[in-house]
Amino acid sequence: MRPPVSSRLRPRSAAALVAVAALALSGLTACGSSAGSGDTAAAPSKLTVWIMRDSVSDSFLQRFRADYEGAHQGTTLDVQIQEWDGIGQKITSALASKDAPDVIEVGNTQVAQYAASGGVQDLSDKVDDLQGKDWIPGLAEPGKIDGKQYGIPWYAANRVVIYNKDLFAQAGITTPPKTRDEWIADTTKLNTGGNDGIYLSGQTWYALAGFVWDEGGDLAAKGADGKWTGTLDTPQAKAGMAFYQQLQALGSGPKDSDEAKPLQAEVFAKGRSAQVLSTPGGAAAILKANPALKDKLGFFPIPGKSADKPGAVFTGGSDLVIPESSRHQAAAYEVVKALAGDTWQSAMAKEMSYVPNRTSLAGVLSGDPGASAMAAGAVNGHATPNSPNWAAVEANNPIKQYMTQVLTGADPAVAGKTASEAITKALNSTS
């Protein structure tokens, strides 16, 4: 499930990212297991498309609908907005029915869950047509299950560093850091005079995941036998956690809660924190709490281990899927192709400050500092382990517990082993 990007940058199985708004599309006839196999000779009179609330603006969808209907005479797009609350069960039920919508927006990390039901069309033969080699990895990978592409990347969002320009200037820092070492050095300079070098809670686990990915590790791994194993006890995960601990210590963020308790935007808005990790849309919440910070906020990609590559980030966003029971699958694919194509990707990126689905389109965000930093970081985007059971991990989140334990003095090896066992159990559950 994925709340509005501004609050969500969390995987879509439990949700993920920044800024948003929405509308949708509706109804068809005849079914089939491959694109076009269920279409009648005549063009459909109506296509049903479900779009999640606050994903895109009403004006964007109105323009898209008018343009699409103008180019496809005889076709009507019935755009239907869906609420995030309860959407998982609603989509699952729709996929099992004989009268599903024709196109559905789903959170990118929810694709595995829905594909496991057998009700989502395999679109692997459309990847080349959609320029899939250019897709952002962290958005494309969750849509690909066991080598088959079920989800078509629509848009993405990821975290960046939002910083206070005045505090950087006072510390004599004129250029944002590009490497981890530079980041630690600058944050140390900023952590003086009663200021926090960075506000980072102890349980911001998406940030930890990025550091673990940078080390070549992951949160879990799938074996040749199809079984999953939690991997927070690996050397790579320990190295990622060690960096997190070093960075988190350069501020006064709580060790036993996440970025929502207290709301990090409100803490940053007090003007004493130099940096915070957030999607660019988090700047709006900061300015709402303290309008005096207008023009004082800057953005840069999370630094990587070397200057030639930004730090790894969790890529939240949405994919588009076509149900097997769509009655006009070929026509549904044309809707997906249009929404995922150059024209509407560029328009959506500019209007919504999203990262478009292809790396070659990142330039459309050049006039937006926050979105540009986000697009720069997106090239090293990743997703949570691609399991339909990932939501079960987040439900009792052993990663958060592991982080707090390490930050409060527990042996990382012992805490990592306990967390890994919990992840393993959740991912391999058949209930």
Side-chain angles (χ1 to χ4, degrees), residues 60-72 77 344:
F60 172 88
L61 284 168
Q62 289 167 2
R63 295 196 310 274
F64 175 77
R65 180 167 53 193
D67 181 83
Y68 190 88
E69 291 178 351
H72 299 79
L77 294 182
W344 293 102

Side-chain angles (χ1 to χ4, degrees), residues 279-360:
T279 55
I286 292 169
L287 294 177
K288 181 179 180 180
N290 185 2
L293 289 178
K294 189 178 187 308
D295 301 323
K296 298 182 183 297
L297 302 182
F299 309 84
F300 60 88
I302 292 175
K305 298 186 74 172
S306 60
D308 61 342
K309 187 177 183 180
V313 290
F314 166 72
T315 301
S318 282
D319 281 18
L320 300 170
V321 301
I322 298 175
E324 283 283 12
S325 54
S326 163
R327 297 182 178 181
H328 287 84
Q329 292 178 353
Y333 171 69
E334 291 303 316
V335 173
V336 170
K337 183 176 180 179
L339 287 170
D342 287 14
T343 298
W344 293 102
Q345 280 291 302
S346 297
M348 180 169 59
K350 291 176 182 177
E351 183 163 334
M352 305 305 302
S353 295
Y354 287 150
V355 176
N357 64 5
R358 299 205 302 277
T359 57
S360 61

Side-chain angles (χ1 to χ4, degrees), residues 5 73 282:
V5 176
Q73 294 298 314

Side-chain angles (χ1 to χ4, degrees), residues 49-105:
V49 181
W50 286 3
I51 302 295
M52 299 309 301
R53 183 171 299 283
D54 295 335
S55 283
V56 289
S57 66
D58 290 356
S59 63
F60 172 88
L61 284 168
Q62 289 167 2
R63 295 196 310 274
F64 175 77
R65 180 167 53 193
D67 181 83
Y68 190 88
E69 291 178 351
H72 299 79
Q73 294 298 314
T75 296
T76 298
L77 294 182
D78 179 14
V79 175
Q80 300 179 0
I81 301 301
Q82 304 297 314
E83 302 294 338
W84 285 107
D85 286 347
I87 191 59
Q89 184 56 54
K90 186 171 184 177
I91 291 177
T92 299
S93 297
L95 294 176
S97 75
K98 295 181 179 180
D99 190 28
D102 303 294
V103 177
I104 304 176
E105 174 197 351

